[in-house]
């Protein structure tokens, strides 16, 4: 028998246990309405699309002049490690985001998760190298860092997202500790978990901070193209100094099961002989030791989906983006109705109003921990995620994350009603006990 | 601009440069016949099969009683991290290999490469933990270890593969150095690169050594089911003490582009509270930080392929296995004809006679390095892989690896003729210069 204590430390991460706990709770209360999983909505997808997309990509290869044998090899064989649909992704970035990069700067990955692992691995080389992350933070990047024994340093997010001055201060503190802050991970738009969006001014300032401090910014962008209306420019679109590695995903825009993401890494890298290549080449080398290539089928289906909509994601996702926007509004409307301003002021409850994405944060006056989650599931039939799960250190004890992406209108209405009841009861008992202790004093 | 020296050490691996060199040489001499790439033969594959396999798997889900919505979700959504075709893989292992394991002990991975990374990561937790590898060794496992900063200790293979006594001795030496040998990587059948196969007695003895020393054996098995005739039992089939993690791949048996492999990890793991789980559960946690899931499409197509052949790989691969066996024989026949026994004795050239797999080793009396490879390409129009590439330390300087999997009969005949000429000329000049220096003495 093996001993957990002999296995890698990442396996003892409390985070893994909390995520398991969440799954267990969901399994124990199948009738509960869950605002926990950040899954996309299934209804825009039909299984038959897969066949159509695949056909379309094969046709595209044929139209490009490839022979039947070449097309067979493109599907059958080990493909190029950096990916076989890089040109199509470069074109989509141009159409959707105004990002102009050569295809050679793109590495196609098994979801954005693999891209995070590759970038964190490439940029860190010793025990002094640290990764800054906006906090609360997407758990995947912390997991990747933990797996590679890279220390994660949280930079606390404000109501309007990461503040560049906080980043600069964090760099200063880490340098003073003898650490090398190598990169900063951030979701500038509709962040997971908090639902914050950085202002245009903050974006420009963050790029200036990165340039001053030598930090590489890892910009994750999964929710932009499933959000309604015009978006602010990505950091990458503003990045004249090549300080940004842009991470992309087709998980929300095409489908999660395909597992296709990518990194845009157009940074130049000089070796000891002075030869200059791209960071993308280095990521490709690392990928050859992780997954070798990304599934040719998955790449083909994603490519077919892009081709079906003129090459961009925006047109492909007009319907879903409107839907997700409406779901977010619906959750906010029901919250407003169920916990009107006067009542929530009395209780000390607040939430933010994301303009897109899958998540919002609710601040509550009680500790929203696993015990609270069980009370919520058992007595009120509603699930959510404790925000504390997303803090690499302490924090988020009195906040919850709500996902708005996965539920139907009816589920949202009923779920918010249940949630409001839960919050009301928990907060009220808190208010009462505070009054009681005030009187006793 | 970034500096290579600031990036992770694995990126400075000489191996990566040598592999690039090989690709460059292949690009520079497109007319050369190449015995270098270990790719499967395309001709058994047709692109249309992908559609059929996918249909068949969808039908299978329907026959199992899943609703249209459930089938859609199975393809569309994030799937279970451990994989969605574990039952089918367990059944295939039973049919093909007589390996009886519960589906829960299987983790589906993005090729065997990801499985290697997961297992090496799970089993190592500090700077003293080392990985033993049979040497010469498949480069993928050394790459994964390097990426995780895990030290690799080579155990030199004999003509009939890894010798258990050598493994035990390596463990002893490492313990004396203050190291913890945690695992041993080996391809017992038709190894890559050397083409060796361990005897049944050696297999049993290796399991005894592992049990005595607490070593976990990572058994990689990519070439068994593409080899003709009956195979010896896998280590896993003989493994009554659960010391073997079996790594599997559908890259050669279904198709490489699908990127589907798996680990069988039925080892029990106890945590500090005494709760016991499976190593597979730990690998699944690590996978959640690497790729989240394996492509649902790729899993579906592999499952469909298995279902098309009664659930096992053996029936599916009867044709390819016979073909690969014939290709190996053809290479050996042509070598025998082009370098007959008397001549090769004179020159000091030998090779092994693998009963299956994709590779054989040729020992030559000259240094078979990159310079020799360029002479071979330029003057003789034939490519091969220097065996030294596959040694984690020194070794293999006077040996070459030949791949037999990818070429047609005509290419094999012509390629071996060119190769024999190259070897003859190189070895002859070596023999002559030795005679000359003998006369001078």
């Amino acid at each position: 028998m093996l001993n957990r204590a002999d296995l890698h430390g990442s396996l003892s991460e409390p985070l893994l246990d909390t995520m398991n706990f969440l799954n267990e709770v969901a399994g124990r209360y199948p009738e509960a309405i869950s605002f926990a999983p950040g899954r996309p909505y299934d209804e825009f997808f039909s299984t038959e699309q897969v066949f159509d997309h695949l056909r379309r990509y094969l046709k595209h290869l044929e139209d490009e002049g490839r022979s039947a044998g070449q097309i067979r090899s493109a599907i059958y064989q080990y493909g190029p490690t950096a990916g076989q649909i890089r040109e199509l992704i470069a074109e989509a970035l141009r159409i959707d985001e105004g990002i102009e990069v050569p295809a050679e700067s793109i590495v196609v990955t098994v979801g954005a998760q693999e891209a995070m692992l590759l970038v964190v691995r490439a940029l860190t080389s010793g025990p002094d190298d640290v990764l800054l992350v906006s906090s609360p933070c997407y758990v995947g990047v912390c997991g990747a860092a933990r797996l590679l024994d890279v220390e994660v340093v949280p930079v606390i997010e404000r109501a309007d997202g990461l503040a560049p001055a906080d980043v600069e201060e964090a760099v200063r503190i880490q340098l003073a500790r003898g650490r090398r802050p190598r990169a900063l991970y951030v979701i500038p738009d509709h962040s997971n978990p908090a639902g914050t969006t950085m202002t245009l001014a903050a974006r420009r300032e963050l790029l200036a901070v990165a340039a001053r401090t030598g930090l590489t910014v890892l910009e994750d962008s999964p929710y932009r193209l499933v959000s309604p209306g015009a978006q602010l420019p990505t950091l990458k679109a503003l990045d004249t100094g090549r300080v940004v590695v842009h991470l992309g995903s087709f998980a929300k825009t095409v489908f999660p099961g395909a597992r296709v993401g990518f990194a845009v890494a157009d940074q130049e890298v000089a070796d000891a002989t002075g030869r200059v290549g791209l960071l993308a080449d280095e990521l490709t080398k690392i990928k050859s030791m992780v997954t070798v290539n990304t599934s040719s089928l998955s790449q083909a289906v994603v490519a077919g989906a892009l081709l079906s909509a003129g090459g961009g994601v925006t047109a492909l996702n007009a319907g879903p983006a409107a839907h997700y926007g409406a779901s977010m509004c619906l959750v906010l409307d029901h919250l407003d109705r169920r916990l009107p301003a006067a009542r929530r002021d009395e209780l000390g409850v607040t939430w933010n109003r994301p303009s897109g994405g899958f998540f919002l944060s609710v601040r509550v006056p009680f500790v929203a921990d696993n015990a609270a989650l069980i009370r919520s599931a058992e007595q009120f039939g509603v699930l959510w995620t404790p925000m504390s799960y997303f803090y690499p250190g302490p924090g988020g004890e009195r906040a919850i994350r709500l996902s708005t992406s996965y539920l139907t209108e009816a589920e949202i209405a009923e779920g918010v009603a249940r949630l409001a009841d839960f919050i009301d009861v928990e907060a009220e008992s808190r208010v009462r006990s505070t009054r009681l202790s005030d009187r006793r004093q």
Side-chain angles (χ1 to χ4, degrees), chain A residues 141-162:
Chain A
V141 72
C142 296
R146 190 76 184 83
L147 204 63
L148 300 171
D149 297 314
V150 172
E151 190 187 340
V152 166
V153 174
V155 183
I156 297 296
E157 244 183 54
R158 314 254 171 161
D160 55 354
L162 199 60

Side-chain angles (χ1 to χ4, degrees), chain A residues 9 48 100 103 108 116 125 137 141 146 156 180 182 206 209 268 281 291 298 323 440:
Chain A
E48 285 304 308
E100 303 268 358
V108 185
M116 287 172 214
S125 64
C137 186
V141 72
R146 190 76 184 83
I156 297 296
R180 287 205 313 174
R182 296 286 294 153
L206 181 61
V209 168
E268 293 189 320
D281 303 333
T291 58
S298 291
H323 168 83
R440 273 185 193 145

Side-chain angles (χ1 to χ4, degrees), chain A residues 9 34-35 52 67 80 85 130 154 156 171 176-177 194 220 230 310 350 365 386 437:
Chain A
S34 181
F35 291 96
D52 298 342
S67 70
I85 61 166
V130 301
I156 297 296
V171 169
R177 279 178 74 210
D220 199 2
T350 61
S437 81

Side-chain angles (χ1 to χ4, degrees), chain A residues 137-282:
Chain A
C137 186
Y138 172 59
V139 297
V141 72
C142 296
R146 190 76 184 83
L147 204 63
L148 300 171
D149 297 314
V150 172
E151 190 187 340
V152 166
V153 174
V155 183
I156 297 296
E157 244 183 54
R158 314 254 171 161
D160 55 354
L162 199 60
D166 293 345
V167 174
E168 193 152 27
E169 174 67 2
V171 169
R172 204 191 51 71
I173 292 171
Q174 293 308 312
L175 291 174
R177 279 178 74 210
R179 297 290 191 276
R180 287 205 313 174
R182 296 286 294 153
L184 164 78
Y185 173 89
V186 62
I187 306 179
D189 300 275
H190 322 299
S191 74
N192 178 7
T196 61
T197 293
M198 291 175 73
T199 64
L200 183 57
R203 288 167 200 242
R204 294 195 195 279
E205 182 53 24
L206 181 61
L207 297 179
V209 168
R212 273 202 293 279
T213 57
L215 211 56
T216 299
V217 179
L218 315 185
E219 173 185 45
D220 199 2
S221 63
Y223 306 108
R224 289 176 59 84
L225 301 174
V226 285
S227 295
Q231 306 293 309
L232 289 169
T234 60
L235 292 172
K236 191 66 199 165
L238 301 169
D239 177 34
T240 52
R242 300 203 200 177
V243 297
V244 177
V245 172
H246 182 82
L247 306 174
S249 169
F250 294 104
K252 277 81 187 176
T253 54
V254 180
F255 65 107
R259 306 305 304 127
V260 179
F262 59 90
V264 179
D266 60 351
Q267 285 69 25
E268 293 189 320
V269 178
D271 71 11
T273 68
R275 204 171 43 182
V276 174
L278 289 178
L279 181 59
D281 303 333
E282 307 294 322

